[in-house]
Amino acid sequence: MTPSYSGFLGRLDWDALPITGLIQNPNANEIVANAAAAIVLVGVFVVVGLLSWFRLWTPLWRDWLTSVDHKKIGIMYVVFAIVMLARGVLEGVVMRAQQAAGPGDGFLEAEHFAELFSTHGTIMIFFVAVPFVFGIANYVVPLMIGARDVAFPRLNQISLGLTVSSGMMLMVSLVVGRFSTGGWTAYPPYTGAAFNPGVGPDYWIWAIVVSGVGTTLTGINFAVTIYKMRAPGMTFMRLPMYCWTIICSSILIVFAMPPLGVAALLLAADRYLDFHFFTNDLGGNMMNYANLFWLFGHPEVYLLVLPAYGIYSEVFATFSAKRLYGYNSLVIATMSIAVLSFTVWLHHFFTMGQSALINAVFGIATMLIAIPTGVKVYDWMATLWRGRIRFSVPMLYGLAFLMLFVIGGLSGVILANPTVDYQVHNTLFLVAHFHNVLLPGVLFGLLAAYNYWFPKAFGFRLNEVWGRVTVALWTIGFLLTFMPLYFVGLMGMPRRSFSYDDPSFHPFMMVAIVGALVITCALFSVLIQLWVSIRDREKTRVPVGDPWDGRTLEWSIPSPPPPYNFAIIPTVTDRDDFAAAKDKGAAYPTPDAYEDIELPRNTGIGFVLCVLSGIWMFALVWWIWWLAALMTVLMILAVIVWTFDDSTELTIPAEEVRKDHEAWLARVHGEKAVDRDFETSPENRGLARPDLEAVT
């Protein structure tokens, strides 16, 4: 459908507000929709009120919104991801509650349920997993490779701004208009203008296009950072395993995100300009969209799960007090998975009419990924074997992952068989498999990273007791929610069903809603753990910087690190360089001399583009053409003006660096080293007594 007119506010009117629907047709469905919108508005008012009450606007702008420090950008990514995680989890709970209501219509209308599974999938993939992954990477990677920052710090800030503005579009869709009902994949014709003329698919399109630009820039940034900014002596085969996974993920992003952007823009051309790329009229074909989308979609799974593999590798080695077993095979396995991930996209449409030969080829390619994945599992178990294992919170996440992920992986091998896939493809079996891979494989890994590197970021440890409670709740909640879906899927219950008639499905749905409520408790326990940890932070401070007996470079500097990371760029001589230095008694050397350090100066370009691109997307969604044109001009002008700013560097004098570093070294030599048995006690101030097996 071609837009035939647009007024001053395009197609925006009072009917776009959810309260209008509640007034015209008060029922449970409208109450749920209005409650969600109210939560968003109240959240905004509370945040603005608190910032104003505590007069935090100036420090927020000066220290965070204009910062190009990779550490602060990483923290902002993670905060954004946790906010979006809250929405994604709550939407999942509402969907499970709808299905647990039993045979019949439940309390949601079918269209509202379709919006929920569309936003849930879109948010959890693009605005929880991706920003969480690169939030952790932003903080950790430069520290691990001995760099002062990423290769393009200002580009890093712009990437964050574009990701946040896109995520905010999804929050706006709760309050103004409605989101797409076409699922997170946005398949036409369900998202075509003829079938779906509303604003929902347009929210999806522009959020994906803009966030895709930001993510692609991030991928380029991290690939260049790891290629070009490693410390002297850090060859590729001395690179920490986590950095190997990040560089593979970055390359996946560079090749996988453009097909998604092209698919979304062609879909926009269909909807806005009456083109027919993906409709049968005038020669189009929706399979063109499916191919483009899954050229991105399947590597996307691995660009998320590979960094989690890297996190588990670091956690298993540190909390086993052993060198990572099979480093070379892990590197080869990581690269193999990255390559194979591009050869399997067609298994997403085994049921769409390809020949048996093509299905067999892609089925075999899919099964092959189990080989390097199995190598990784074997190497992790060998790392644990005869190690001095400490069951700290990151390690507990890792052990839960090992047990649950193997189940998810095996169900993936089963689905790689086209004949089996044909039977269960459109059932909840597939939903169970997907969540079985992504929750233990990605979310547990990110939460392990959050607990593992939190002391490095903020200078104090997270509460251990609440951390263990959180692990238990996530694990139990996961088992109760998704294991029943395997059974009900085999019984034939279709996925994306807002209702059903077969009463035999109901008991399984009741178990699933109990699990969803436990997951909700897990989400709140993450927040409680954070609050308790901040409250008790004086008892858990680790200013020396090495609370876990770490093995890599980030643990060799203070917690939190100074803006320049390293007073002197280290020279690397070993794969586990810091562990080797501790073993030799040379972990905290005093430099012969200090030098001035140049850092990038703060800039507001990322925030400006965040705001302007957000308004630009909103204008395009609602056909407010004059506003879209104005925002386009302003974005171009903002970038042009920004390029004339020649005051881009900030110099920290060598004398200031010397004073800070010597004060920290004095603290190091004044602290008492703590054995790993007392790792969670207040005596742990971040100076670990190395284990005898630390460098074995």
Side-chain angles (χ1 to χ4, degrees):
M1 176 180 293
T2 304
S4 57
Y5 74 93
S6 76
F8 184 73
L9 293 179
R11 50 181 170 172
L12 181 62
D13 56 28
W14 291 108
D15 289 339
L17 300 178
I19 190 68
T20 305
L22 181 63
I23 294 171
Q24 294 174 346
N25 184 26
N27 55 39
N29 182 72
E30 293 296 335
I31 291 173
V32 172
N34 277 268
I39 290 172
V40 173
L41 292 175
V42 169
V44 171
F45 286 130
V46 167
V47 170
V48 171
L50 289 175
L51 290 173
S52 303
W53 179 265
F54 291 106
R55 299 181 178 180
L56 294 175
W57 287 106
T58 300
L60 180 67
W61 174 259
R62 182 191 60 219
D63 298 335
W64 291 90
L65 298 181
T66 59
S67 176
V68 292
D69 187 331
H70 70 94
K71 300 183 287 297
K72 291 182 177 178
I73 288 175
I75 291 170
M76 287 189 280
Y77 263 120
V78 172
V79 170
F80 171 72
I82 291 177
V83 171
M84 299 304 283
L85 175 66
R87 178 178 167 182
V89 168
L90 293 177
E91 286 179 331
V93 173
V94 175
M95 283 190 287
R96 290 285 157 256
Q98 163 71 13
Q99 291 178 329
D105 292 338
F107 59 91
L108 291 181
E109 295 175 357
E111 185 176 358
H112 193 175
F113 188 82
E115 288 178 46
L116 284 174
F117 68 65
S118 300
T119 50
H120 175 76
T122 304
I123 286 173
M124 296 301 277
I125 294 293
F126 295 103
F127 300 106
V128 175
V130 171
F132 212 148
V133 162
F134 282 99
I136 299 292
N138 250 293
Y139 199 96
V140 175
V141 167
L143 300 179
M144 273 189 157
I145 63 174
R148 299 207 188 281
D149 208 323
V150 294
F152 309 114
R154 298 172 188 84
L155 196 67
N156 201 22
Q157 189 198 62
I158 292 172
S159 300
L160 171 65
L162 297 180
T163 302
V164 171
S165 67
S166 306
M168 289 302 101
M169 275 298 98
L170 269 72
M171 303 304 276
V172 169
S173 71
L174 269 179
V175 182
V176 184
R178 294 178 182 275
F179 195 69
S180 174
T181 57
W184 79 277
T185 55
Y187 275 156
Y190 305 114
T191 51
F195 185 87
N196 199 334
V199 298
D202 302 323
Y203 270 119
W204 184 92
I205 287 170
W206 299 116
I208 294 303
V209 168
V210 174
S211 70
V213 172
T215 304
T216 305
L217 296 178
T218 299
I220 295 170
N221 208 345
F222 275 92
V224 176
T225 298
I226 298 175
Y227 272 123
K228 304 294 290 185
M229 300 189 69
R230 287 168 284 130
M234 181 170 280
T235 62
F236 270 106
M237 296 315 286
R238 288 177 181 167
L239 202 61
M241 199 60 230
Y242 177 67
C243 296
W244 264 111
T245 60
I246 290 297
I247 196 169
C248 287
S249 288
S250 299
I251 294 170
L252 286 179
I253 284 174
V254 172
F255 285 98
M257 291 304 293
L260 176 66
V262 169
L265 287 173
L266 292 181
L267 183 59
D270 276 9
R271 290 181 57 82
Y272 282 73
L273 303 173
D274 207 18
F275 282 30
H276 292 275
F277 290 113
F278 303 133
T279 59
N280 289 332
D281 300 332
L282 301 177
N285 190 333
M286 67 83 62
M287 283 306 296
N288 293 334
Y289 180 90
N291 277 287
L292 282 170
F293 182 87
W294 287 111
L295 270 176
F296 147 81
H298 206 82
E300 164 80 3
V301 174
Y302 293 97
L303 73 86
L304 297 177
V305 80
L306 283 178
Y309 289 167
I311 292 165
Y312 290 127
S313 298
E314 303 300 331
V315 166
F316 289 144
T318 297
F319 291 97
S320 300
K322 284 180 64 182
R323 186 185 284 271
L324 189 62
Y325 181 87
Y327 176 89
N328 292 351
S329 61
L330 282 167
V331 171
I332 295 170
T334 301
M335 298 176 72
S336 302
I337 292 171
V339 173
L340 287 171
S341 70
F342 277 102
T343 67
V344 300
W345 84 91
L346 198 135
H347 72 215
H348 289 276
F349 26 96
F350 277 155
T351 61
M352 294 188 186
Q354 289 79 224
S355 68
L357 176 62
I358 290 178
N359 280 354
V361 168
F362 279 86
I364 292 169
T366 305
M367 293 179 191
L368 287 177
I369 293 187
I371 296 173
T373 306
V375 169
K376 281 180 169 289
V377 173
Y378 169 77
D379 284 339
W380 290 325
M381 294 175 67
T383 303
L384 298 175
W385 174 250
R386 302 184 71 177
R388 186 186 171 190
I389 295 175
R390 292 112 64 189
F391 294 101
S392 300
V393 173
M395 177 60 105
L396 293 177
Y397 274 116
L399 296 178
F401 154 78
L402 274 181
M403 290 181 282
L404 299 176
F405 185 76
V406 169
I407 299 173
L410 289 175
S411 64
V413 175
I414 293 171
L415 285 169
N417 185 320
T419 55
V420 175
D421 182 86
Y422 194 86
Q423 297 297 319
V424 297
H425 185 81
N426 204 32
T427 72
L428 285 175
F429 187 93
L430 200 69
V431 176
H433 158 70
F434 187 66
H435 287 82
N436 204 164
V437 171
L438 286 187
L439 258 74
V442 179
L443 186 61
F444 283 18
L446 294 171
L447 291 171
Y450 167 70
N451 281 270
Y452 183 52
W453 281 300
F454 186 94
K456 178 53 59 183
F458 296 99
F460 59 94
R461 288 174 282 117
L462 286 169
N463 185 275
E464 190 73 10
V465 174
W466 274 103
R468 292 168 187 267
V469 170
T470 306
V471 177
L473 290 174
W474 279 115
T475 306
I476 295 170
F478 165 80
L479 290 169
L480 290 175
T481 303
F482 296 106
M483 288 301 152
L485 303 190
Y486 280 119
F487 296 100
V488 82
L490 290 174
M491 292 164 63
M493 182 172 177
R495 56 177 171 160
R496 299 168 180 162
S497 297
F498 92 105
S499 183
Y500 50 90
D501 296 325
D502 190 339
S504 63
F505 298 155
H506 192 220
F508 294 95
M509 292 298 100
M510 291 301 294
V511 176
I513 183 59
V514 172
L517 293 174
V518 175
I519 285 180
T520 308
C521 295
L523 177 67
F524 282 107
S525 68
V526 171
L527 302 178
I528 294 172
Q529 183 199 26
L530 179 61
W531 176 73
V532 171
S533 303
I534 294 174
R535 185 195 64 187
D536 299 337
R537 59 189 180 279
E538 293 305 325
K539 299 177 184 175
T540 56
R541 287 203 181 278
V542 287
V544 174
D546 181 26
W548 311 127
D549 191 16
R551 309 178 67 81
T552 41
L553 289 178
E554 76 271 25
W555 304 109
S556 67
I557 57 177
S559 293
Y564 43 82
N565 294 348
F566 298 89
I568 300 292
I569 295 296
T571 298
V572 176
T573 58
D574 193 281
R575 186 181 304 150
D576 292 342
D577 195 71
F578 185 50
K582 285 190 287 187
D583 185 61
K584 297 172 185 172
Y588 302 100
T590 302
D592 297 328
Y594 295 87
E595 297 179 347
D596 292 348
I597 296 175
E598 287 190 350
L599 294 176
R601 192 182 291 276
N602 286 6
T603 173
I605 186 63
F607 181 79
V608 170
L609 291 180
C610 174
V611 173
L612 295 180
S613 64
I615 300 173
W616 180 76
M617 285 185 278
F618 186 82
L620 287 175
V621 167
W622 291 97
W623 299 354
I624 311 175
W625 307 122
W626 65 268
L627 186 58
L630 177 63
M631 290 303 109
T632 304
V633 171
L634 289 179
M635 282 191 284
I636 295 172
L637 284 176
V639 173
I640 292 174
V641 170
W642 170 60
T643 58
F644 281 93
D645 181 11
D646 56 2
S647 178
T648 58
E649 300 293 337
L650 174 70
T651 301
I652 300 179
E655 182 62 17
E656 182 179 331
V657 176
R658 183 189 66 77
K659 286 182 179 178
D660 290 346
H661 194 237
E662 288 183 351
W664 174 68
L665 286 176
R667 180 186 286 271
V668 171
H669 298 307
E671 291 286 353
K672 179 183 177 183
V674 175
D675 188 82
R676 299 303 81 215
D677 291 337
F678 302 97
E679 188 171 77
T680 59
S681 71
E683 285 75 24
N684 183 2
R685 307 291 288 176
L687 184 64
R689 178 178 296 127
D691 262 294
L692 294 176
E693 295 180 281
V695 293
T696 60

